[in-house]
Amino acid sequence: SPAPTRAAHTRAHDNTPQLCSSEAMSSKEAKAKATKAEPASPALKYLTGFGSEFSSEALPGALPKTINPKKCPYGLYAEQLSGTSFTTPRVYNQRIWFYRILPSAKHKPYQKMEHKYLMADFSKAIATPERFRWKPFPLPKEKNVDFIQGLRTVGGSGSAETKTGFAVHIFTFNCSMGNRVFNNSDGDLLIVPQLGDMLITTECGKIALEPGEIAVIQRGHKFKVDISDNSPRRGYICEVFDGHFIIPDLGPIGANGLANPRDFEHPVASFENSDKVHVMVQKFLGSLFTAETDHSPFDVVAWHGNYVPYKYDLSTFVAVNSVTVDHMDPSIFTVLTCQTASPGVAAIDFVIFPPRMAVQKETFRPPYYHRNCMSEFMGNIKGKYDAKPDGFAPGAASLHSVMAGHGPDASTFEACSESKDDPPVQMNALAFMFESTYVMRLTDWALKSAPLDEEYTKCWDGLKNKFNPEKP
């Protein structure tokens, strides 16, 4: 999807520092300011587009004229981060070049870090066809729980080692990461905040994120998550071990609709020139390792490439649906997909159920009863989900695995099937689904420690036999 490489888009975020901006700054002035941050700015700038070649520099002339010159401008080091193999066909190839103050190779040896709640190999996780719902995941009671400490794996499939499958995590935290930096070797992270905003600092720049938006941090990109107060945050993460997320083809929908490329936002270059000790936390095959650095890992002064973290505002999604009769398949609400080698079969589809109008006539409007060859993990960001308005609260989750029967609860079926008319209805909730061709196995934490709704399957007990062979 072509997009201007230097397009700028702004979105307000209070008290967000924009470091070392190059606007209206001479080369001499830039060199003088290279070691200190600019004043706080009320807005961040973004580059818009999807799958494009982008470039950004925080100091004028920091991007060299060739990729890997003998000497980079400002005494920087050139470093490439590869998101695909060198020989992946160009249409799928992803990489980014950083021009940074010190290369990533400079750090102390790794030390093992304990974290008993993460998993990246699901071969021995628990497989069950049962249908599950979790009540809203509890917020941390302890103080000073950061993003890394607050990660919990719910389940997944495959393994990071074979680069096949996915993992679903929950995060809850109440403090900033400070000098800790997260680097994930295992897969791309799709972050779905549900409660509270946050500031994600990446090597490419800063991303302001809040509920109703998502962010994707690809494998290998270092980042940290900070917050402006100590109130709790909560959200969901889908980690894909296979390839990378793309926007789905539109087929007969045409050239426009669903998630449009122009609405994806990528950070602009900013940097820190600091000699303070930072602790890099590396996730490698589900285990955590730490390594100290004597400088900030966020020291990238300029970059170019197509392997760039991004965010997306879900309110910009252009939903389509039937305007006559019948309930269309939820695939029409796919925002992002990561495909397997089989065409149309997804390792992960990220699907949303956004605010929208329902106008079908003589149609049962909630989701139909269903058994699926895919696994369906759902979460609720806000509002009441139409299939289960009284039981699926914001911050909760559910899992309907392969071929598990599911659908509206008994009271919803009665109310919607007996409705006397078909007025247009405004749906005001925002729920989502991670859908996968793989079977999702569950962790001990998900089944023994997380807040399982033990009464969930009873929601269908009230369904009655209404069959009357004498009355069509």
Side-chain angles (χ1 to χ4, degrees), residues 14 84 120 470:
D14 294 338
T84 55
E470 304 299 327

Side-chain angles (χ1 to χ4, degrees), residues 35-353:
T35 60
K36 59 183 180 179
E38 291 293 293
S41 168
L44 290 175
K45 292 182 178 180
Y46 297 98
L47 309 174
T48 58
F50 191 89
S52 307
E53 288 286 331
F54 296 100
S55 63
S56 183
E57 56 185 13
L59 297 178
L63 280 171
K65 298 185 183 301
T66 60
I67 290 179
N68 192 19
K70 183 180 292 186
K71 288 187 177 181
C72 294
Y74 298 101
L76 300 172
Y77 290 85
E79 176 182 285
Q80 182 177 201
L81 173 61
S82 295
T84 55
S85 68
F86 294 141
T87 53
T88 294
R90 179 170 286 199
V91 67
Y92 304 115
N93 206 297
Q94 296 189 37
R95 84 284 178 263
I96 186 170
W97 278 91
F98 293 130
Y99 300 94
R100 61 192 319 149
I101 296 172
L102 284 167
S104 297
K106 188 182 182 186
H107 63 76
K108 297 292 179 64
Y110 287 105
Q111 304 292 327
K112 187 73 179 290
M113 173 183 170
E114 290 301 318
H115 194 309
K116 60 183 180 179
Y117 298 111
L118 292 176
M119 182 179 287
D121 181 355
F122 295 93
S123 60
K124 295 183 180 179
I126 302 164
T128 169
E130 189 54 273
R131 301 155 298 177
F132 294 100
R133 182 166 69 194
W134 291 267
K135 298 175 183 179
F137 293 94
L139 302 171
K141 296 179 181 179
E142 304 84 0
K143 295 181 179 179
N144 301 319
V145 177
D146 70 12
F147 176 81
I148 298 173
Q149 294 168 309
L151 286 172
R152 302 288 186 272
T153 303
V154 177
S157 183
S159 73
E161 184 172 8
T162 61
K163 295 188 177 179
T164 303
F166 70 97
V168 173
H169 313 283
I170 300 297
F171 66 83
T172 58
F173 67 100
N174 55 20
C175 77
S176 297
M177 286 175 57
N179 71 333
R180 296 220 292 181
V181 179
F182 195 47
N183 189 6
N184 184 24
S185 298
D186 295 343
D188 289 11
L189 301 177
L190 192 162
I191 302 172
V192 185
Q194 184 272 320
L195 179 67
D197 63 348
M198 61 194 73
L199 179 66
I200 302 176
T201 301
T202 75
E203 293 173 276
C204 293
K206 297 178 182 293
I207 297 175
L209 194 65
E210 60 188 37
E213 299 177 324
I214 61 169
V216 171
I217 311 295
Q218 296 93 332
R219 184 197 315 261
H221 276 276
K222 302 169 194 169
F223 71 96
K224 70 170 183 172
V225 181
D226 292 323
I227 55 179
S228 58
D229 55 51
N230 292 324
S231 61
R233 268 66 170 173
R234 179 172 57 200
Y236 313 82
I237 294 176
C238 184
E239 179 181 14
V240 62
F241 303 145
D242 285 62
H244 303 292
F245 287 104
I246 60 173
I247 50 179
D249 292 329
L250 296 181
I253 292 175
N256 306 287
L258 307 189
N260 286 313
R262 64 167 295 181
D263 295 319
F264 290 85
E265 300 177 320
H266 307 254
V268 298
S270 65
F271 68 91
E272 300 170 358
N273 186 11
S274 169
D275 57 4
K276 292 182 179 179
V277 172
H278 287 68
V279 179
M280 183 171 64
V281 181
Q282 187 103 7
K283 187 163 84 71
F284 189 82
L285 302 187
S287 296
L288 298 186
F289 300 82
T290 63
E292 288 189 356
T293 70
D294 60 2
H295 62 281
S296 171
F298 306 113
D299 62 352
V300 176
V301 181
W303 56 262
H304 67 84
N306 63 352
Y307 193 54
V308 188
Y310 55 86
K311 64 179 281 188
Y312 176 76
D313 185 341
L314 299 176
S315 69
T316 64
F317 185 81
V318 181
V320 300
N321 208 338
S322 171
V323 294
T324 53
V325 297
D326 288 343
H327 194 293
M328 297 181 70
D329 295 330
S331 52
I332 59 171
F333 299 123
T334 301
V335 179
L336 293 167
T337 182
C338 177
Q339 294 285 291
T340 63
S342 300
V345 180
I348 284 291
D349 281 334
F350 174 61
V351 180
I352 64 171
F353 304 98

